[in-house]
Amino acid sequence: MIEVVKDISLFLALFISSLILVASYLGRRKTHIAWPFFIKHWILYMVLGLIGSELCIPLLLFNLIINAALWFLGGYSYLTGQITLVFSILSSVGLIASIVQSLSNRTLVLDFAKNFDTKPFDSPIVPPVAPAILSSKLIKLDAPSHYPKVTLKKDIRYGPVKEQLLDVLYIEESNPKNQKRPVFLFVHGGAWSHFGNTKENTSAPLLYHMASKGWIVFTIEYRMAPYHQMPAHIDDVRTSIDWVKENANKYQGDSSFITICGNSAGGHLSSLAALTSFETGKNGARTAKVNCCVDLYGVHDFVDRHNHWVIGFRKIRDTIMAKSYEQSPDIYHAASPIDFLQQEQNEHKLLGVHVPFLVIHGDYDEVVPLEESIYFAEQYKKVVKGHKLFFLELPGAHHAFDLMYSIRTLAVLYLIESYCYSQYKAFVKK
């Protein structure tokens, strides 16, 4: 019986070491999505690559624990244990390389953040403080546990439709001057469908971080495919903006300043909402309803006019659109943020309002091509006079890198906070 348990333990250690080895390899590789295997299994590739690149420190520690246990139990006297040791050595080399790259990313991001003015000013929010190189968050990944002062209120209705619910995160503390706090509105990703993310399981590190710094954070749910087609998704986002402007004051939020942010599909919806949500005055002047947009690896071109996509975006796109492109091209252009970067109405009669942008995209993204953001940033800078867009390409970052704590994520949280703080500070000074 003891030998059976030992054999099972050895094979389990080998299996785990094999997975870590694969993750460490994929975490250090650019997209191989064009390979037939990865086209069919791209979600598996994404998850393993993401784990290998972002959880490199926990995986390295786990490697050490496995091999310490094998050594203590005499597992190295067996062939299975010896193979496990070889796998662990190889994966540890890859994980250490990922850590080095993450530290390089940290330097890159902190240098980029110097573009933004983060000096203190008379405000209920505090200036950003650069994260330490090592943090307990890199080991204990549960975001709420690191922010005991942050209050979460769930499932507040922002519209009459069943799916129109939001959560609010904020710090409940005395505010004798009754000062308003800036608002951070987040739109989650997940391929615009019910099979992806929800407001409960996405980007907790960012949401809790911003709330802990004094921002009033709203994160919304919205109608999704296959039960609802566009424009239901973007209509819900616009409805949530109107609700927040009317109700943010109930949470000491400053409804005159709203940052909208999203990742992946949420990056698409947040950038589209930022460009198309405005009020028109009596003289025809357009005033944006949001003050700036943070776009994390979002989709910007629903037409796919440059063939950037590899994983079959058009198949995904067709599940959320009411008609095919051939039947109704206008609805595809109306869903493309890139088409609203105009000074005058284009052939599709689209005209947006241009707010400041921070766009962040990893060059290892195996889902949304980096070229989507590069082209959007280039067009923005060509069209918008005195352009207000900052674009950061993150070396080695995979799709959804911000969903979990890592050296890279902590630096990006600081960057986003610095950008938003700077925008709010400039707004207050006006």
Side-chain angles (χ1 to χ4, degrees):
M1 182 66 181
I2 295 177
E3 287 299 318
V4 172
V5 172
K6 183 177 290 187
D7 288 342
I8 292 174
S9 299
L10 285 170
F11 277 107
L12 182 61
L14 178 60
F15 177 71
I16 294 174
S17 295
S18 301
L19 287 179
I20 295 176
L21 177 61
V22 173
S24 68
Y25 173 80
L26 294 178
R28 288 282 299 143
R29 292 294 177 271
K30 283 195 174 184
T31 301
H32 295 89
I33 208 72
W35 297 359
F37 174 82
F38 290 119
I39 289 178
K40 187 176 180 181
H41 303 285
W42 63 270
I43 294 180
L44 176 63
Y45 175 87
M46 180 190 77
V47 171
L48 288 174
L50 183 64
I51 290 172
S53 62
E54 302 305 318
L55 298 184
C56 41
I57 290 180
L59 289 180
L60 186 60
L61 293 176
F62 200 50
N63 250 349
L64 293 174
I65 292 170
I66 289 175
N67 283 277
L70 284 176
W71 175 80
F72 181 77
L73 297 173
Y76 291 146
S77 60
Y78 298 84
L79 178 61
T80 306
Q82 294 167 7
I83 296 173
T84 299
L85 176 62
V86 172
F87 282 6
S88 295
I89 292 173
L90 292 174
S91 62
S92 294
V93 171
L95 293 171
I96 291 171
S98 290
I99 292 172
V100 171
Q101 184 180 58
S102 294
L103 291 172
S104 176
N105 260 207
R106 180 181 185 274
T107 301
L108 172 69
V109 172
L110 297 187
D111 286 343
F112 191 86
K114 293 176 182 178
N115 287 302
F116 312 123
D117 181 8
T118 57
K119 296 177 183 177
F121 74 111
D122 186 18
S123 164
I125 61 173
V126 296
V129 177
I133 293 178
L134 293 178
S135 167
S136 60
K137 298 182 178 72
L138 300 177
I139 305 300
K140 190 177 181 182
L141 304 176
D142 179 43
S145 66
H146 295 286
Y147 302 102
K149 293 183 179 181
V150 173
T151 297
L152 168 65
K153 292 189 176 180
K154 295 176 63 65
D155 295 334
I156 300 166
R157 184 157 296 284
Y158 69 84
V161 180
K162 179 179 66 174
E163 292 88 350
Q164 291 176 333
L165 300 171
L166 59 78
D167 298 345
V168 57
L169 298 87
Y170 61 99
I171 294 179
E172 278 189 296
E173 59 184 11
S174 60
N175 187 3
K177 294 184 180 180
N178 199 30
Q179 290 179 300
K180 298 296 182 182
R181 295 176 178 146
V183 173
F184 189 85
L185 175 61
F186 187 79
V187 186
H188 70 78
W192 307 273
S193 74
H194 280 279
F195 309 110
N197 295 321
T198 66
K199 63 181 174 61
E200 280 84 15
N201 66 4
T202 184
S203 296
L206 174 59
L207 302 181
Y208 277 87
H209 176 81
M210 293 300 289
S212 73
K213 296 297 185 176
W215 292 70
I216 309 301
V217 177
F218 297 93
T219 175
I220 71 165
E221 200 56 85
Y222 53 89
R223 286 173 286 176
M224 293 182 281
Y227 309 110
H228 304 280
Q229 277 73 45
M230 288 285 278
H233 308 64
I234 188 61
D235 286 346
D236 286 356
V237 177
R238 294 190 187 110
T239 299
S240 73
I241 292 172
D242 292 337
W243 186 94
V244 167
K245 289 187 78 68
E246 292 179 7
N247 294 276
N249 62 319
K250 296 178 182 178
Y251 306 93
Q252 295 185 333
D254 183 354
S255 60
S256 65
F257 187 91
I258 299 176
T259 294
I260 190 168
C261 174
N263 54 7
S264 193
H268 159 255
L269 293 171
S270 61
S271 59
L272 184 60
L275 293 166
T276 61
S277 301
F278 55 85
E279 298 170 340
T280 305
K282 293 181 179 179
N283 60 353
R286 291 168 291 131
T287 304
K289 291 183 179 180
V290 301
N291 300 79
C292 59
C293 178
V294 178
D295 176 0
L296 301 172
Y297 46 90
V299 178
H300 303 107
D301 180 13
F302 256 54
V303 179
D304 190 23
R305 65 203 81 186
H306 299 287
N307 289 316
H308 290 152
W309 290 80
V310 178
I311 64 165
F313 165 69
R314 296 189 179 194
K315 185 176 180 180
I316 298 172
R317 179 192 68 180
D318 290 347
T319 66
I320 65 172
M321 303 302 282
K323 298 180 181 179
S324 69
Y325 180 77
E326 290 72 23
Q327 291 174 315
S328 185
D330 284 351
I331 65 173
Y332 288 78
H333 288 280
S336 301
I338 196 77
D339 278 298
F340 289 90
L341 297 181
Q342 311 290 337
Q343 292 291 5
E344 299 178 355
Q345 285 191 352
N346 57 20
E347 65 270 26
H348 302 286
K349 297 182 180 180
L350 303 177
L351 189 61
V353 59
H354 303 137
V355 302
F357 266 79
L358 172 63
V359 180
I360 303 174
H361 207 134
D363 69 349
Y364 282 19
D365 195 316
E366 53 278 287
V367 180
V368 180
L370 172 64
E371 290 77 12
E372 279 279 307
S373 291
I374 292 175
Y375 182 64
F376 178 78
E378 289 175 348
Q379 288 298 110
Y380 188 105
K381 293 177 180 180
K382 285 180 183 177
V383 171
V384 181
K385 295 179 180 178
H387 67 82
K388 301 164 288 185
L389 180 143
F390 291 90
F391 172 59
L392 176 63
E393 177 181 333
L394 277 180
H398 289 258
H399 193 77
F401 70 87
D402 58 307
L403 298 191
M404 57 191 73
Y405 283 118
S406 66
I407 296 172
R408 181 184 288 110
T409 298
L410 289 174
V412 169
L413 297 186
Y414 168 77
L415 171 61
I416 293 173
E417 181 200 357
S418 298
Y419 173 76
C420 295
Y421 181 94
S422 180
Q423 290 292 323
Y424 184 56
K425 182 177 178 180
F427 171 79
V428 170
K429 285 184 175 180
K430 288 183 179 178

